[in-house]
Amino acid sequence: MCGIVGYAGVNRAVPYLLDGLEKLEYRGYDSAGIAVVENGALRITKTRGRISFLASLVASEHQSPATVGIGHTRWATHGKPSDANAHPHQSGSGRFCVVHNGIIENYLQLKAALQADGVVFRSETDTEVIAHLLDKNWDGDFVSTVRKATGQLEGAYAICVLCSDFPDRIVCTRWGSPLVLGTCDAGTFIGSDVTAILQHTSDVYYLDGHETALVTKDGAVFYDKTGAAIEKQPTRIAWNLAAAQKGGYEHFMLKEIMEQPQAFADTVSPRISADKRIVFEDFHLTDDDIRALRRVAIVACGSAYHAGAVGKYVMEKLARLPVEIDIASEFRYRDPVLDAQTLVIVISQSGETADTLAALRLANGRGCKTLCIVNVVSSSIANEGSSVIYTHAGPEIAVATTKAYCAQVAVLYLIAGYLAEKRGLLSEEARRAYVAELEALPAKISETLSQCDAQIQELSQMFIPLEHAYFIGRNLDYACAMEASLKLKEISYIHSEAYAAGELKHGTISLIEQGTLVVALAACDDVFSKTMSNIKEVKARGARVLAVSTAGHTDAMGEVDFRLLIPATDPLFAVTLEVLPMQLLSYYTARSRGCDIDKPRNLAKSVTVE
Ligand code: AGP
């Protein structure tokens, strides 16, 4: 959560800081601040609210000529969004200020000890202890002081520090939360992810855990965890700047919805060989390992968990392995039964989700084979799995995921087909047909998006005044219902629930009354008639039903009030198409309700806290 920027260069720092913060605002947006050193003293401007508000404040009172500075956009954890809790936080002496991403788990003990020494705290944040620890450990050497202070921290942190004694430099370090640096003619840029740096350079340095960097306009000097100077090699980022810009769309979410054909194709095509086999350079399980597998556990949060739900159905069907799916925050605290014959697949767009990372560490510690499906290169999860398969969705900026979810599902289809083949369960003919269907999907995704757009805009009108909505489906349709429901609630603030269609009658059907809107996902052929029975049950109780299915079922959908048809496809893949109108439905409903689509209230893009 939270975004960090830093700049040490030859130009005025403030415009770069504000620009970088705007690019990172999707990481957190309840307060923001910047700091520079001016005439030997720290000058801090910070405020509750969005970057645009900070920018107007800065415009009126902060025309600083300083060429070095740091900035922060916050998603509140310790202490409410307020001016006082906004970063940067300054030490009691006024010598240091710090911006921080992460959680300091031992901050209460540290705070008590500092208060016992007479330190006065001005915020409710955990971060402020870092500022005061810098004072306490001050030895005249900026880098050594930061290393000593962070040596006392437990938890996760990425920090940038300014010191009034050294106006030409920033010291930054990290553990558990990411930090990236890039150098160009204008100077050195720091960001909590590459989107803050991308417009200046594509060659970046990922700071490893406990490494420290001393940053000036001329570049960065890196130190390892022992404090010894080290050489680091830059990594070339494949993402281009256009991918992180709106490109004429009103919102990132709509742009990202429309980018799904590309995201799916870019994720699948490098993994299909000339002879139409599924190949993974990055899957480190031998054929014997795969044959010895007894089960799969998929662990993730939010939409990534919903992608996992698709993976469960497809993997069980094709590879005939039992697959459990778990929400990462549950998995990590329930002492799961794991062994060396369990493949643990963790899924994360950001690669930084705290619960998913903890689940991965748990699985690694229990000797499981771990496979991570990640979008952000060199993120913590990508670095810690025994294998990593990258989704090639490009940068995803909207808080509500669409194209990354689509790419996660694509990887899960690939893995299911791969495991099935290695386990001798996919004939040559079946494999070719499966791969052909995967390769045909990008075109069908495009077709679905263009076909249903106008109809969805019209249908969204009836969602605008709603307080509640229900999404039902069975099997893969249920996986889609969960994702559809989350999308609607997170960006439009309409309460919605996803239910396995057959489960409604065990309690929840009591909520259905005259006019209740139920969306029935009904694209799975083998359970279509069962879902239709459930549609009849809710209609008998007064519900209005919007059903989503394929053209082949048009006649059998006679009972429903509204129908939305997706192109014909193998039933195993229909879920990748039926989710698309659901994303658009959420988008248009939220837009008409005047919601802040790309930055929904209370949320942040990467959830690096428990
Ligand atoms: C979905 O739209 C959400 N923004 C959220 O549920 C997200 O999928 C979840 O927080 C997991 O994030 P990750 O993929 O970065 O781990």
Side-chain angles (χ1 to χ4, degrees):
M1 340 274 302
C2 305
I4 290 177
V5 293
Y7 171 72
V10 294
N11 301 318
R12 278 185 63 227
V14 172
Y16 285 125
L17 298 176
L18 291 173
D19 182 65
L21 288 179
E22 259 169 35
K23 297 211 163 53
L24 292 182
E25 198 174 18
Y26 67 96
R27 295 180 67 98
Y29 34 85
D30 58 43
S31 45
I34 58 169
V36 294
V37 185
E38 230 180 82
N39 304 322
L42 293 171
R43 179 160 180 196
I44 298 174
T45 309
K46 58 183 191 170
T47 178
R48 182 184 173 175
R50 296 283 171 96
I51 308 296
S52 52
F53 187 60
L54 173 71
S56 55
L57 211 61
V58 166
S60 61
E61 61 179 56
H62 202 324
Q63 296 300 326
S64 170
T67 56
V68 177
I70 58 177
H72 189 267
T73 178
R74 177 173 186 248
W75 187 86
T77 56
H78 296 65
K80 60 186 181 301
S82 68
D83 293 356
N85 289 334
H87 299 214
H89 290 284
Q90 194 166 11
S91 66
S93 70
R95 174 175 275 124
F96 297 101
C97 74
V98 61
V99 291
H100 165 226
N101 181 15
I103 297 260
I104 306 305
E105 286 166 2
N106 60 338
Y107 88 101
L108 282 175
Q109 296 99 292
L110 293 169
K111 185 171 180 174
L114 287 160
Q115 283 172 324
D117 281 352
V119 173
V120 177
F121 278 75
R122 287 169 287 209
S123 77
E124 302 156 285
T125 65
D126 53 339
T127 303
E128 195 180 342
V129 298
I130 306 173
H132 298 303
L133 284 175
L134 289 163
D135 262 355
K136 199 166 171 171
N137 289 281
W138 174 234
D139 61 8
D141 179 322
F142 193 2
V143 173
S144 135
T145 301
V146 171
R147 295 190 64 253
K148 283 183 195 158
T150 52
Q152 291 170 257
L153 305 178
E154 287 168 19
Y157 56 85
I159 62 168
C160 285
V161 184
L162 281 185
C163 175
S164 57
D165 294 26
F166 300 100
D168 63 340
R169 62 196 66 182
I170 301 167
V171 174
C172 59
T173 185
R174 67 165 284 257
W175 170 250
S177 298
L179 217 47
V180 189
L181 292 87
T183 302
C184 63
D185 290 345
T188 310
F189 293 84
I190 309 169
S192 43
D193 71 51
V194 290
T195 46
I197 296 180
L198 216 49
Q199 76 185 98
H200 307 293
T201 176
S202 302
D203 294 317
V204 301
Y205 298 88
Y206 288 100
L207 213 56
D208 286 331
H210 293 308
E211 283 181 357
T212 306
L214 172 63
V215 173
T216 63
K217 68 177 174 34
D218 303 317
V221 180
F222 297 102
Y223 302 90
D224 71 8
K225 61 179 170 196
T226 68
I230 49 167
E231 287 288 323
K232 280 178 82 73
Q233 293 310 312
T235 304
R236 166 73 38 111
I237 300 298
W239 294 355
N240 63 28
L241 182 59
Q245 292 174 334
K246 278 191 198 152
Y249 284 91
E250 193 181 340
H251 296 100
F252 277 109
M253 184 180 178
L254 187 59
K255 174 175 177 260
E256 289 161 6
I257 288 173
M258 297 304 173
E259 284 173 343
Q260 290 179 101
Q262 194 69 47
F264 197 96
D266 288 351
T267 301
V268 167
S269 54
R271 277 99 187 201
I272 305 292
S273 67
D275 62 346
K276 301 298 173 196
R277 285 181 186 281
I278 298 171
V279 287
F280 285 116
E281 276 176 15
D282 23 19
F283 196 155
H284 299 132
L285 258 62
T286 64
D287 291 2
D288 284 344
D289 287 338
I290 291 172
R291 279 187 287 270
L293 284 180
R294 287 202 304 205
R295 64 194 186 101
V296 175
I298 300 180
V299 190
C301 300
S303 294
Y305 170 81
H306 300 154
V310 174
K312 172 186 167 69
Y313 285 107
V314 179
M315 257 178 244
E316 288 190 338
K317 192 135 197 128
L318 288 186
R320 305 308 298 155
L321 275 165
V323 181
E324 284 170 35
I325 53 168
D326 258 293
I327 292 167
S329 54
E330 289 294 306
F331 178 87
R332 61 181 292 196
Y333 289 118
R334 74 167 171 77
D335 196 11
V337 180
L338 298 168
D339 57 28
Q341 273 84 47
T342 306
L343 171 64
V344 176
I345 300 179
V346 307
I347 310 172
S348 175
Q349 187 285 129
S350 61
E352 301 296 343
T353 302
D355 285 317
T356 311
L357 179 59
L360 171 65
R361 287 178 178 158
L362 174 72
N364 280 339
R366 299 272 179 97
C368 300
K369 315 232 168 346
T370 54
L371 169 60
C372 304
I373 302 174
V374 181
N375 196 42
V376 177
V377 173
S378 281
S379 52
S380 304
I381 291 174
N383 288 340
E384 293 193 29
S386 16
S387 298
V388 55
I389 298 178
Y390 284 112
T391 48
H392 297 158
E396 190 178 62
I397 310 294
V399 165
T401 180
T402 52
K403 64 173 180 172
Y405 164 86
C406 171
Q408 288 163 352
V409 169
V411 170
L412 288 160
Y413 278 113
L414 289 166
I415 294 172
Y418 186 76
L419 293 179
E421 191 190 357
K422 297 290 178 196
R423 287 166 58 81
L425 295 169
L426 210 56
S427 67
E428 161 91 19
E429 195 191 344
R431 183 206 1 112
R432 283 188 177 274
Y434 186 78
V435 167
E437 198 63 47
L438 270 177
E439 291 187 312
L441 271 169
K444 290 182 184 179
I445 293 173
S446 290
E447 186 188 339
T448 310
L449 287 169
S450 52
Q451 253 179 29
C452 68
D453 192 67
Q455 194 190 351
I456 281 290
Q457 291 201 42
E458 204 181 308
L459 286 168
S460 69
Q461 296 303 309
M462 67 182 170
F463 284 76
I464 297 165
L466 289 187
E467 285 181 22
H468 310 281
Y470 295 86
F471 291 81
I472 61 170
R474 290 169 176 258
N475 294 359
L476 281 163
D477 290 326
Y478 175 47
C480 181
M482 291 194 281
E483 177 57 9
S485 171
L486 178 63
K487 281 285 94 71
L488 184 70
K489 77 181 89 170
E490 78 178 314
I491 61 166
S492 74
Y493 317 142
I494 294 171
H495 165 242
S496 75
E497 287 193 39
Y499 250 79
E503 182 66 9
L504 267 186
K505 57 187 168 292
H506 297 288
T508 306
I509 201 164
S510 65
L511 295 171
I512 306 293
E513 54 189 4
Q514 200 59 39
T516 305
L517 200 48
V518 175
V519 182
L521 285 312
C524 284
D525 283 351
D526 46 358
V527 287
F528 176 80
S529 60
K530 301 291 170 197
T531 306
M532 285 311 297
S533 304
N534 302 127
I535 289 174
K536 284 181 186 143
E537 288 160 13
V538 293
K539 277 203 64 62
R541 281 143 187 98
R544 290 177 295 159
V545 176
L546 162 62
V548 185
S549 191
T550 48
H553 291 299
T554 313
D555 294 342
M557 288 162 78
E559 299 279 332
V560 305
D561 302 277
F562 312 96
R563 65 182 70 144
L564 206 149
L565 300 178
I566 56 167
T569 187
D570 180 312
L572 210 54
F573 298 102
V575 63
T576 57
L577 305 184
E578 71 180 340
V579 74
L580 307 167
M582 298 297 97
Q583 296 166 343
L584 288 170
L585 178 69
S586 308
Y587 174 78
Y588 288 121
T589 306
R591 195 178 70 169
S592 299
R593 285 167 66 100
C595 300
D596 191 346
I597 292 180
D598 286 338
K599 299 183 190 98
R601 71 182 179 210
N602 304 339
L603 293 175
K605 185 69 179 163
S606 55
V607 186
T608 54
V609 297
E610 280 196 48

